[in-house]
Amino acid sequence: METVASASPVDLEKQYLFQNYARLPVVLARGKGSYVYDTAGKRYLDLIAGIGVNALGHGHPRLIKVIREQVGKMIHCSNLYYHEYQGPLAKRIAQASGMDRVFFCNSGTEAMEGALKIVRAHGRKLHAEKFETIALQDSFHGRTFGALSITGQEKYRRDFEPMLPGARFVPRNDIGALEQTVGPNTAGIVLEVVQGEGGIYPMTTAFVRKARELADRYNAILVFDETQCGVGRPGTYFAYQLLEPVVMPDVTVAAKPLACGIPLGFVAATESAASTIGAGQHGTTFGGNPLACRTALEFFDILDELLPNITNVGGYFRMRLTELAKRYSFIKEVRGYGLMIGVELEFPGKQIVLDCIEQGLLINCTHDIVLRALPP
Ligand SMILES: Cc1ncc(COP(=O)(O)O)c(C=O)c1O
């Protein structure tokens, strides 16, 4: 009989794991800076960075130092108690986001669940029919039932119907459709200021401003999902800060790079939106543990040093890609902000992703035809 030690990780996964991931043919072993190495020692330039998680690359010495220290002190303590790092991190996030209060969780989808509970609690306080949530076609908000219900991509929802009632979808940047859909029963409007999984599509300022205006007119909560487009990646703390003038949400959620691989997400909200959730109405076992929060504090310190340069580096990257687009007609468009970059092709990008792996480059393809780079 084959022993665990002799079986390849790929064979073991094929035999024992749910087959829900269409894995690419690489077994990664370690990383350093912007590079990762497979088990055979082959080096790859990592332009996808854990789909935006490894925003500081791999093995950052300052992260290693605080993680080592904190593991020795305390990894977890229950939310029954205070610890040293949730308060300072919440203050940091409040200052960066312009929100008043923060709730910590473990992932983007969980953060979205928290935001949806705020939307529901807000609507319910006003009247029983006020539970509709307006979201965008081609959006992605996560895999749990609430987040999935407002994810505007049929392929993710189809097999799990019926979803949470009250979700309605409008095409991105379609002001007319938004005006027609939002009404007295709208409890929340949820959008990604730059759609990630949907193909790196930025929202126009006019569209986001209209969402704000309609949310105010109908007393609904405006939620921005900054899980992929936020937390430094756009060259500002959050993508809504790119808009001129800035459009403020009532609630913003984020996750991915916050603790650089240690799971951490948050819901940040205005005083009024946060007050819809009373004591005992929401919570988590793992969310906001000392290890994740301390790592995130270090992440924010490092991000502050990097932030001024992100727009330049990302701009240079897009400029060079735009030069390629002039040479190759199969490149339809280069889009994005900061270090969130999409290259739309005339055909599916899967083969290019595989060819890049051969050449020692990790890149991803989203929405079938958009090559996506989320570099460290
Ligand atoms: C915009 C957005 N929201 C939510 C999620 C879900 O986050 P997680 O996979 O951490 O649950 C993602 C993941 O890619 C995302 O891009």
Side-chain angles (χ1 to χ4, degrees):
M1 202 179 84
E2 200 175 30
T3 63
V4 170
S6 66
S8 86
V10 173
D11 291 342
L12 286 171
E13 283 209 5
K14 285 195 171 143
Q15 187 173 352
Y16 290 109
L17 249 68
F18 279 26
Q19 293 300 297
N20 58 314
Y21 296 115
R23 300 248 202 250
L24 292 159
V26 190
V27 183
L28 292 176
R30 64 189 178 90
K32 185 87 192 121
S34 295
Y35 292 93
V36 288
Y37 298 80
D38 68 16
T39 43
K42 179 173 169 182
R43 188 176 86 154
Y44 304 83
L45 178 62
D46 185 7
L47 292 191
I48 190 64
I51 320 187
V53 170
N54 304 108
L56 302 182
H58 303 269
H60 194 294
R62 281 169 61 181
L63 291 180
I64 292 175
K65 182 167 178 288
V66 293
I67 290 168
R68 278 204 175 123
E69 246 174 58
Q70 192 55 38
V71 166
K73 270 176 73 182
M74 178 181 269
I75 295 174
H76 174 79
C77 82
S78 165
N79 279 309
L80 289 171
Y81 311 104
Y82 295 96
H83 67 70
E84 289 173 84
Y85 304 109
Q86 266 198 37
L89 182 60
K91 180 178 176 189
R92 201 71 198 265
I93 291 168
Q95 285 170 342
S97 65
M99 299 287 100
D100 298 315
R101 292 186 182 275
V102 177
F103 167 81
F104 289 111
C105 56
N106 307 285
S107 67
T109 197
E110 236 186 278
M112 187 46 70
E113 292 299 314
L116 289 174
K117 281 175 82 173
I118 291 176
V119 167
R120 278 292 173 90
H122 167 77
R124 207 181 156 75
K125 281 190 179 107
L126 296 168
H127 63 90
E129 299 303 310
K130 196 172 175 70
F131 59 82
E132 280 182 7
T133 308
I134 313 304
L136 301 188
Q137 286 170 12
D138 291 331
S139 60
F140 186 85
H141 298 293
R143 309 282 192 161
T144 48
F145 268 103
L148 198 55
S149 299
I150 55 153
T151 286
Q153 301 191 56
E154 171 71 12
K155 64 179 179 194
Y156 294 123
R157 297 200 313 263
R158 199 170 31 229
D159 288 347
F160 308 104
E161 299 279 354
M163 292 282 117
L164 220 60
R168 300 182 66 186
F169 297 99
V170 298
R172 64 174 162 257
N173 291 330
D174 187 336
I175 289 180
L178 191 64
E179 277 181 314
Q180 274 173 13
T181 313
V182 178
N185 291 343
T186 304
I189 304 173
V190 183
L191 54 91
E192 296 159 86
V193 173
V194 185
Q195 279 185 341
E197 302 299 304
I200 317 291
Y201 277 105
M203 297 306 125
T204 62
T205 304
F207 182 75
V208 183
R209 203 184 305 149
K210 179 58 74 178
R212 177 70 274 171
E213 194 186 305
L214 291 168
D216 290 341
R217 190 186 312 162
Y218 291 105
N219 196 359
I221 301 262
L222 181 62
V223 180
F224 291 164
D225 183 348
E226 296 265 341
T227 303
Q228 190 162 149
C229 65
V231 205
R233 187 158 291 286
T236 48
Y237 286 118
F238 297 99
Y240 55 84
Q241 293 160 344
L242 289 167
L243 304 171
E244 286 180 12
V246 170
V247 179
M248 292 299 288
D250 301 299
V251 173
T252 188
V253 303
K256 287 186 183 286
L258 281 173
C260 301
I262 296 169
L264 182 66
F266 71 73
V267 187
T270 59
E271 186 69 48
S272 153
S275 71
T276 58
I277 303 284
Q281 286 194 311
H282 197 50
T284 159
T285 293
F286 293 108
N289 65 63
L291 179 62
C293 288
R294 180 152 183 220
T295 307
L297 278 167
E298 190 67 20
F299 165 71
F300 270 102
D301 280 350
I302 298 168
L303 179 62
D304 284 346
E305 293 170 26
L306 297 175
L307 211 48
N309 208 27
I310 290 174
T311 306
N312 294 338
V313 177
Y316 176 76
F317 197 163
R318 283 199 310 283
M319 183 187 81
R320 299 303 301 269
L321 288 168
T322 306
E323 283 169 19
L324 285 182
K326 285 184 192 135
R327 291 223 305 270
Y328 299 104
S329 60
F330 64 85
I331 299 179
K332 282 175 68 183
E333 195 177 22
V334 176
R335 293 189 289 269
Y337 285 105
L339 289 171
M340 180 180 191
I341 297 167
V343 178
E344 185 168 332
L345 307 171
E346 267 180 354
F347 46 77
K350 174 103 195 274
Q351 191 55 47
I352 293 187
V353 170
L354 292 168
D355 292 347
C356 284
I357 289 175
E358 282 293 313
Q359 302 283 324
L361 176 67
L362 298 189
I363 195 163
N364 160 266
C365 181
T366 189
H367 220 64
D368 282 343
I369 54 166
V370 182
L371 295 178
R372 170 172 54 173
L374 302 171

